[in-house]
Amino acid sequence: MSESDTTPTALRTPIVAVLGHVDHGKTSLLDTIRGSAVSEGEAGAITQHIGATAVPLETISDMAGSLVDPEDFDLPGLLFIDTPGHHSFSTLRSRGGALADIAIVVVDVNDGFQPQTVEAIEILKRTGTPFVVAANKIDTTPGWNPQEGAPIQQTYEAQSSRARSMLDENLYEIIGDLSDNGFSADLYWRVQNFQKNVGVVPSSAMTSEGIPDLLAVLMGLSQRYMKEEMQIDVTGPGAGTVLEVKEERGFGTTLDVVLYDGSIKEGETIVVGGKNDPIVTEVRALLRPRPNAEIRTEKRFERVDEVTAASGVKIAAPDLEDAMAGAPVRVVRDRPVDEVIAEVKRELAEIEVETAEE
Ligand code: GDP
C-alpha cells in the first residue's frame, strides 16, 4: 500500500474512551459492543487486552452491516479502553494530549445531562478530544417496540408516532444541553462536519439498537479526521500510559498499560513515572489475558514477546512499587537513558499542573 518501503509506518487503532454519569450505561455499552463482537462468532473477533478491548475492522463491519463498508477504511479497527473513572480519565494522557483519540459520552436519554456528564464534557473540551454522544436507553421510552441490533433509522420506522415523539423530545433536550455547554450538536445523520458539530447517536445497550450507528460514526470520525495522527512507526521505542498499578500473584507489582506508540519487547529497559523519581527498570514479562481464561485458573495470563501500539498490556518488572496510574511509560531502546528520564519528568510535571487545576 505504501510507496516507501524504508519507513516502517502503519496506521494504528484509534483509542476510544467511554465517559458519562454513573448508571447511564458506560459498562453496559462496552459489554454490548464486546458481546456482539464475540457472538459474530469469527475466530479472533476481538483480541484480548489488558484494560482495553480491540475490535478489528471486519468485526465492526459485521456488526454495523451496511453502515460500515470495510472497503472505505484503512484503519485497523477500534481499541476501547475499559471505562476509567473521570478522575483517572483526566490524568490519562499521552504525549501532548489525551490518551483517548476519541470519546463516547453516554447520556441516559430519560435522565439527560447530569453533573458527571458536564464534568466529562469539560474534560473533553479541555483536552480537545473529539466525541460523540450516545443517547442511551432508548428502549425505556414508553411504548417502545424493540428491534434487536437494528440501526436507528430502521428502529425509528418501527415505532409508534407517540414513542417516536417522546424520544425526539428527550433527544432535543440533550442537544440543548450540549449547546448550553458550548457545543453545537445535532442528531448524527444531520451532521455534515463532525469537527464542528457533535453527533448524537440514539442507542440501547440492552437491545443493541443504534450500536451499528455508533460504530459507524466512530470509524467515520477516526478515518476522516484522525488518520494522520494514527500513522506511527511500529518499530519505534514504545510509549504508553499506566492505567493501573496492580499486585499480581507470581509477578509482584505489575502495570496495566495502554501502549499508544511504537513497540515494547521482553527484556527491554523502560522508564516509568513514579511517586518520586522516574523508575528505570527492565521488562520481565509482557502479559495478555489468556483467551477464554477460566476465572479460577491460576494462570490467567499468557506471555508475549512483543506488543505493538495501540494495545493494552500488563508489564511485570522489578521496582514498580512507586509507579502511578496516569504516569508515562517509555521504552529506552537506542536512546540515552537520561534523555528518556527527562522526557518522563517533563510529562509528569504537566500532569501535576493539570491535576492541581481541578
Ligand atoms: P455505568 O455506571 O455508566 O457503567 O452504567 P451501567 O452500564 O452499569 O448501567 C447502569 C444500569 O442501567 C444497569 O442496571 C444496566 O443494566 C442499565 N442499562 C444500561 N444501558 C441500558 C439500556 O440501554 N437500556 C436499559 N433498559 N437499561 C440499561
Side-chain angles (χ1 to χ4, degrees):
M1 201 188 338
S2 156
E3 51 281 24
S4 152
D5 51 9
T6 49
T7 38
T9 58
L11 291 174
R12 74 157 166 84
T13 321
I15 300 169
V16 186
V18 186
L19 289 86
H21 195 73
V22 63
D23 281 348
H24 281 195
K26 297 179 293 293
T27 315
S28 307
L29 214 54
L30 262 172
D31 284 348
T32 300
I33 291 170
R34 242 191 311 248
S36 45
V38 169
S39 67
E40 281 301 323
E42 286 166 28
I46 59 168
T47 35
Q48 308 261 359
H49 285 247
I50 298 282
T53 305
V55 186
L57 174 61
E58 305 81 72
T59 309
I60 289 175
S61 157
D62 286 344
M63 289 157 74
S66 61
L67 295 183
V68 174
D69 179 353
E71 297 289 312
D72 294 341
F73 299 94
D74 42 19
L75 289 173
L78 296 168
L79 185 77
F80 292 89
I81 305 179
D82 294 337
T83 65
H86 289 274
H87 291 292
S88 56
F89 181 87
S90 58
T91 56
L92 289 185
R93 301 172 53 100
S94 66
R95 255 187 312 246
L99 172 62
D101 302 297
I102 188 168
I104 306 172
V105 176
V106 183
V107 184
D108 181 327
V109 76
N110 299 299
D111 235 13
F113 263 46
Q114 294 297 326
Q116 289 166 312
T117 321
V118 176
E119 225 177 275
I121 283 178
E122 292 285 312
I123 294 169
L124 296 171
K125 200 192 281 184
R126 201 172 66 224
T127 54
T129 312
F131 65 96
V132 297
V133 169
N136 194 39
K137 307 198 190 185
I138 57 168
D139 63 288
T140 61
T141 308
W144 193 254
N145 174 19
Q147 311 291 307
E148 196 75 36
I152 277 306
Q153 213 61 39
Q154 199 177 314
T155 294
Y156 246 71
E157 280 159 20
Q159 305 306 322
S160 66
S161 57
R162 194 174 135 77
R164 222 178 320 185
S165 70
M166 277 204 252
L167 175 60
D168 284 343
E169 210 169 291
N170 285 337
L171 292 172
Y172 282 108
E173 191 99 11
I174 291 174
I175 290 169
D177 283 335
L178 277 161
S179 153
D180 291 345
N181 283 275
F183 288 96
S184 136
D186 209 338
L187 297 169
Y188 89 87
W189 55 87
R190 300 212 180 110
V191 173
Q192 305 276 347
N193 182 340
F194 280 90
Q195 270 182 317
K196 288 202 179 129
N197 298 305
V198 172
V200 175
V201 185
S203 72
S204 165
M206 199 65 97
T207 65
S208 301
E209 290 164 291
I211 301 296
D213 308 65
L214 191 58
L215 294 169
V217 173
L218 292 171
M219 279 310 291
L221 199 59
S222 317
Q223 177 82 17
R224 185 106 185 245
Y225 301 111
M226 294 187 306
K227 202 171 134 180
E228 282 186 10
E229 293 160 45
M230 297 303 110
Q231 195 89 42
I232 61 160
D233 174 1
V234 280
T235 62
T241 302
V242 178
L243 289 184
E244 270 190 85
V245 182
K246 266 189 195 160
E247 282 300 313
E248 227 45 270
R249 264 184 78 184
F251 295 102
T253 309
T254 66
L255 305 180
D256 290 359
V257 166
V258 168
L259 194 75
Y260 58 81
D261 198 1
S263 67
I264 181 168
K265 296 172 196 161
E266 195 178 292
E268 282 192 309
T269 304
I270 55 171
V271 179
V272 183
K275 286 181 193 127
N276 304 303
D277 283 333
I279 302 157
V280 181
T281 183
E282 209 163 89
V283 178
R284 187 180 286 156
L286 296 170
L287 305 163
R288 282 271 170 84
R290 210 168 264 283
N292 310 317
E294 285 173 52
I295 293 171
R296 291 181 47 226
T297 142
E298 296 261 305
K299 300 213 165 119
R300 289 159 52 216
F301 306 110
E302 64 181 5
R303 287 171 83 139
V304 288
D305 298 333
E306 181 176 3
V307 171
T308 53
S311 327
V313 66
K314 184 183 281 293
I315 299 176
D319 306 323
L320 292 177
E321 291 71 24
D322 284 345
M324 295 186 301
V329 180
R330 293 284 184 280
V331 173
V332 175
R333 211 162 291 169
D334 310 326
R335 301 175 291 173
V337 69
D338 288 344
E339 199 176 283
V340 184
I341 292 174
E343 192 182 312
V344 166
K345 274 191 179 158
R346 250 194 324 273
E347 220 174 295
L348 273 176
E350 265 178 52
I351 295 170
E352 272 151 25
V353 170
E354 283 258 326
T355 332
E357 278 170 1
E358 268 169 30

